[in-house]
Amino acid sequence: MSQSFDLTGLKCPMPALMTRRALARLPPGGEIDVVADDPMAAVDIPHMCHHAGYEVLDTVRDGSRTRFTLRKPHPRQAQDED
C-alpha cells in the first residue's frame, strides 16, 4: 500500500522539498504517490530523487497535474546500483 500526497497549489521548491521529507520517513521499500501542478515539479521531483537515491517508478501527466509514483529503495538495493 502506498501513501498519497496532493501537493497541488504549491510552488517551487515546496513540492520537491515536501516529497523528499515524505520519502525520508518511509520504511525501505515504501512507496508514495505525489500529485503536483507546479510546472517545475516535473523536473524538480525526478531530479531530487536521482540525487537522493529514490526511485521514480512512474510519471503520468494529466493536464496541468503530474502524478509521480516513487519508492525508497532497500539499503542493499541502493548499494547494488553503485
Side-chain angles (χ1 to χ4, degrees), residues 11-82:
K11 299 298 176 200
C12 183
M14 294 308 296
L17 293 174
M18 293 181 76
T19 299
R20 184 177 189 153
R21 187 176 303 152
L23 282 162
R25 289 191 301 253
L26 288 178
E31 295 182 10
I32 61 172
D33 289 319
V34 175
V35 176
D37 61 352
D38 178 48
M40 288 306 298
V43 174
D44 291 343
I45 290 175
H47 182 76
M48 176 276 300
C49 287
H50 174 75
H51 285 283
Y54 301 117
E55 299 175 61
V56 178
L57 302 177
D58 193 24
T59 303
V60 177
R61 185 101 176 154
D62 182 18
S64 65
R65 296 167 52 132
T66 305
R67 183 182 54 80
F68 304 92
T69 302
L70 311 170
R71 178 172 41 211
K72 181 177 187 176
H74 292 279
R76 176 180 224 164
Q77 186 177 0
Q79 291 174 354
D80 291 344
E81 293 175 1
D82 288 340

Side-chain angles (χ1 to χ4, degrees), residues 4-10 33-36 65:
S4 295
F5 294 93
D6 186 350
L7 303 178
T8 55
L10 297 178
D33 289 319
V34 175
V35 176
R65 296 167 52 132

